[in-house]
Amino acid sequence: MLRGLLSSSTTILSKPPHPETLLPIIQSHVDSSQPKCTTPMPSPYTSTLQTLLEPISDQNPPHLLSYAPLFQFLTAQNFLKLGQQIHAHMTIHGLQPSAFLGAKMVAMYASSGDLESAVTVFDKIKNPTSLLYNSIIRAYTNYGYPLKTIDIYCKMHCLGLKGDHFTFPFVLKSCTNVLDGWMGKCVHGQSLRFGMEFDAYLGTSLIDFYVKIGELRDANKMFDLMTVRAVSSWNALIAGYMKEGEIRVAEDLFGRMPRRNIVSWTAMISGYTQNGLAEEALSLFDEMLKEDSEVKPNWVTIMSVLPACAHSAALERGRRINEYVNRIGLESNTSVQTALIAMYAKCGSLVDARCCFNRIPENEKNLCAWNAMITAYASHGQGLESVSTFENMVRAAVYPDAITFTGLLSGCSHSGLVQIGLKYFNSMQTVYSVKPRHEHYACVVDLLGRAGRLVEAKEFIDKIPMQPGPSIWGALLAACRKSRNLEIAEMAANELFVLEPENSCNYILLSNMYAEAGMWKEVDKLRARLKCQGIKKNPGCSWIEINGKPHLFLSGDASHPQAKEIYNLMQALPEKIKAAGYTPNTSFVLHDISEEEKEHNLITHSEKLAIAFGLINTTPEVVLRITKNLRICGDCHTVIKFISKIYGREIVVRDVNRFHHFREGACSCGDYW
DNA sequence: CTAGGGTTAG
């Protein structure tokens, strides 16, 4: 590369340029690297450069050491082409860089994006020093070549060159990135031999290393042994405990640390989010804004808190954070907009999700952004939109990955686009070089199963070139419910009972199917099995957000202050709906009780309670947004369609799988779910 | 030089 560059600049090199002629060249390069700048060259650069160039032009031949500050300056300013010119200038004067100068040049090339030239310079240095090795180690680490970094470090070690506090943090980070526990521990040992046990940076790197390889105990031991702890040392340990779900310990550390910065707060917030504690994440975010005026949330903080809104479907909360994002000037950040897309989609507002997507400039729409939008359409049952978004993505020359295809295939599946879905599945490896994984096979099983093609789905599973996991059998079992195919359901369930014996959902699903078929003996058998294995089933619940405040309802819940009003409304509802042509579908009750009782049982489903509450407490133009922790039941689905018609309401229901938009007596899913 | 990170089916 470097050789190429030198020969390509022969027009300059054919006549050795006098150093003074460099300035105009430099000037032109600065101009081209900053196209928006109308002034020829910012004066501080000119004068600094002039000062730095003086010794080179005064001495003939120039002294080697005069180049060092020049390269350092160019590294800081990221003026690659200038660096090449100066490098050429040295070559013309027959100057071989020393190890010291070589280190500066490596840094200059590396920081300007030309790793290849950095390596070429490095390889040509005759008597390498620790400094030189540090510069190339740093380059390889930053470019994401951890194995190269480790390799180079081994060479350095063999040459007897001492590592220092600019060596070990990078080498450790590389060991961490490839999860090489053995190598990392060797490096740890070597660092101790060089007397580095009191270095705070190294200590933090070590904590992070032990955290990432899953040896939290050792991470904590490192922390305890450290005499000088940086804020980052605390942060690394907090992140470690959060990752292991040890929330109390993380909270204790956070409470005890002498100083906190934005990373500390973000680590806590994202820890809460990742452990499903959305409320805690949101309130800590508020507390941070209120109590610690020293810290300023950045894009990472925003990305950590948004999934909490998504998790609890807290749309108003999410909107307020969106306004905050605009206020602090983060709206141009692509990652933030991507997190907003997912948040709005999961909070039920596809329109807002699309706005965020549109806000990202075309050339900045990256893989994550496209994936977020494709998945958003999929979860709202807009399969065709998922497909066209995918096609636009390919047209924009962004290559799809495994996540793209899970979104695309699930979009096809939710919309009943069986042929299209199968076509994409068959092309994912051949056309797009994305190897199908478990989730993709599960999507195809879902695609076929949902369309009632259970036998094909089973045959498909038999042909999968890997051991089918719980997701694949789970998709088959869920699909059986609609077609009421007990034979295949039992087969799928028996696989699942072995693969994930503690997952209550599988027992419930099969039990419900038995109940629908009136096979109460089998229902009892399954219930007994649940009981004797001590498996807890998670109770159904729904919540609705009104004026930004969530209201939670359990199935059959009578504890609510407005319970009486709610039940009155629900009780009056069947008559109203029956007048509009509805028959309650009591097969969804699934207890061995009388028909009349069943009817009563139906009206206490949590999603109905939440909707009744919403009808009572909002004005007619408000869209009701309900979130349910399980799949919506068939009777509720029918009833909500009628409610949307009778009350003229728009109702959006998010269940565990997808969204249902009810309007004027119809649902966006077209009853295909 | 170290710590916090968006997109994933059923």
Side-chain angles (χ1 to χ4, degrees), chain A residues 98-374:
Chain A
S98 62
F100 177 76
L101 200 52
K104 302 280 172 217
M105 292 165 71
V106 166
M108 185 275 295
Y109 278 119
S111 78
S112 57
D114 189 356
L115 181 63
E116 217 173 318
S117 299
V119 174
T120 312
V121 171
F122 173 81
D123 285 340
K124 283 205 176 129
I125 307 294
K126 296 275 157 27
N127 301 303
T129 57
S130 289
L131 186 78
L132 179 71
Y133 266 92
N134 283 349
S135 66
I136 197 74
I137 280 174
R138 179 180 178 172
Y140 274 132
T141 309
N142 290 341
Y143 277 81
Y145 294 108
L147 292 172
K148 273 282 186 196
T149 304
I150 293 169
D151 187 45
I152 288 280
Y153 171 74
C154 290
K155 285 209 184 85
M156 177 181 183
H157 192 71
C158 291
L159 287 172
L161 293 170
K162 262 178 75 172
D164 61 18
H165 48 267
F166 283 101
T167 318
F168 292 112
F170 290 107
V171 179
L172 262 170
K173 191 192 171 114
S174 297
C175 296
T176 307
N177 285 344
V178 292
L179 297 177
D180 189 340
W182 182 82
M183 186 65 199
K185 283 171 194 172
C186 288
V187 173
H188 182 185
Q190 282 152 14
S191 73
L192 290 180
R193 249 183 296 139
F194 293 131
M196 302 254 320
E197 70 252 63
F198 301 122
D199 186 275
Y201 282 107
L202 178 59
T204 303
S205 302
L206 280 167
I207 292 171
D208 188 48
F209 165 71
Y210 283 113
V211 160
K212 299 267 166 72
I213 64 166
E215 294 182 19
L216 194 53
R217 213 183 290 267
D218 289 325
N220 205 330
K221 206 148 96 198
M222 273 310 305
F223 182 80
D224 289 338
L225 286 171
M226 285 174 79
T227 47
V228 190
R229 292 182 193 128
V231 182
S232 51
S233 320
W234 292 80
N235 294 346
L237 196 60
I238 286 174
Y241 278 108
M242 277 301 198
K243 203 177 121 233
E244 292 298 310
E246 300 258 15
I247 293 142
R248 298 282 157 250
V249 186
E251 283 171 342
D252 177 61
L253 284 165
F254 185 69
R256 272 173 35 219
M257 61 194 298
R259 235 170 44 82
R260 295 169 189 157
N261 60 16
I262 188 58
V263 180
S264 326
W265 289 94
T266 306
M268 288 299 291
I269 292 168
S270 86
Y272 281 135
T273 312
Q274 278 154 20
N275 285 288
L277 301 170
E279 258 328 300
E280 282 82 349
L282 288 166
S283 55
L284 194 69
F285 181 73
D286 287 342
E287 191 185 323
M288 172 187 73
L289 294 182
K290 207 164 65 205
E291 289 180 13
D292 202 338
S293 54
E294 298 275 293
V295 299
K296 286 269 169 291
N298 56 28
W299 60 289
V300 184
T301 319
I302 300 299
M303 286 193 318
S304 304
V305 75
L306 283 175
C309 300
H311 183 98
S312 14
L315 180 62
E316 289 314 312
R317 206 68 182 272
R319 278 195 207 286
R320 263 186 285 141
I321 293 178
N322 191 359
E323 283 158 19
Y324 180 75
V325 162
N326 298 341
R327 239 187 353 263
I328 61 176
L330 280 178
E331 71 272 34
S332 56
N333 185 306
T334 303
S335 302
V336 168
Q337 289 300 340
T338 303
L340 283 169
I341 293 171
M343 182 278 290
Y344 278 123
K346 285 176 184 158
C347 290
S349 180
L350 195 53
V351 178
D352 285 293
R354 181 70 211 197
C355 285
C356 295
F357 184 70
N358 291 345
R359 216 166 283 142
I360 305 173
E362 289 309 315
N363 56 346
E364 280 177 38
K365 287 191 170 93
N366 58 21
L367 181 61
C368 284
W370 287 103
N371 284 353
M373 201 59 231
I374 291 169

Side-chain angles (χ1 to χ4, degrees), chain A residues 369-573:
Chain A
W370 287 103
N371 284 353
M373 201 59 231
I374 291 169
T375 309
Y377 281 127
S379 68
H380 284 264
Q382 310 250 11
L384 285 173
E385 292 294 333
S386 283
V387 169
S388 68
T389 308
F390 174 81
E391 289 299 336
N392 287 336
M393 166 183 177
V394 173
R395 228 166 285 140
V398 175
Y399 292 102
D401 70 350
I403 293 170
T404 318
F405 281 100
T406 36
L408 180 63
L409 292 174
S410 82
C412 292
S413 158
H414 286 312
S415 300
L417 305 172
V418 183
Q419 285 317 313
I420 298 176
L422 288 174
K423 188 195 89 192
Y424 280 120
F425 174 77
N426 289 326
S427 69
M428 63 185 281
Q429 181 143 26
T430 51
V431 180
Y432 303 100
S433 311
V434 178
K435 209 171 173 207
R437 300 196 304 215
H438 275 104
E439 56 266 38
H440 303 110
Y441 293 115
C443 283
V444 174
V445 170
D446 188 55
L447 190 70
L448 293 166
R450 228 183 256 270
R453 294 156 68 166
L454 288 173
V455 179
E456 272 173 83
K458 172 64 178 73
E459 282 166 4
F460 177 79
I461 293 179
D462 293 335
K463 278 188 270 175
I464 294 174
M466 54 172 83
Q467 196 72 272
S471 60
I472 293 170
W473 290 115
L476 187 64
L477 176 59
C480 289
R481 168 91 195 254
K482 208 182 148 188
S483 321
R484 310 194 175 206
N485 186 326
L486 267 170
E487 194 194 333
I488 294 183
E490 278 174 344
M491 181 185 59
N494 284 329
E495 297 283 346
L496 287 163
F497 294 160
V498 177
L499 288 170
E500 37 175 36
E502 339 66 80
N503 188 345
S504 64
C505 299
N506 302 324
Y507 300 89
I508 306 283
L509 210 61
L510 186 62
S511 160
N512 285 352
M513 286 187 65
Y514 282 137
E516 271 184 67
M519 298 165 67
W520 301 108
K521 242 197 199 140
E522 303 297 326
V523 174
D524 288 342
K525 257 196 236 162
L526 268 180
R527 252 187 228 153
R529 192 166 165 188
L530 268 181
K531 206 169 181 181
C532 91
Q533 291 180 16
I535 303 162
K536 291 265 178 307
K537 60 174 181 179
N538 51 342
C541 69
S542 302
W543 63 96
I544 180 168
E545 195 190 53
I546 290 175
N547 295 329
K549 214 180 145 244
H551 301 265
L552 182 82
F553 295 88
L554 295 169
S555 170
D557 201 344
S559 64
H560 197 274
Q562 280 176 287
K564 213 172 156 208
E565 275 181 85
I566 293 169
Y567 278 87
N568 282 343
L569 193 141
M570 287 314 300
Q571 237 127 31
L573 202 58

Side-chain angles (χ1 to χ4, degrees), chain A residues 32-45:
Chain A
S32 66
S33 67
Q34 297 178 341
K36 275 180 197 145
C37 184
T38 44
T39 48
M41 164 114 72
S43 60
Y45 294 155

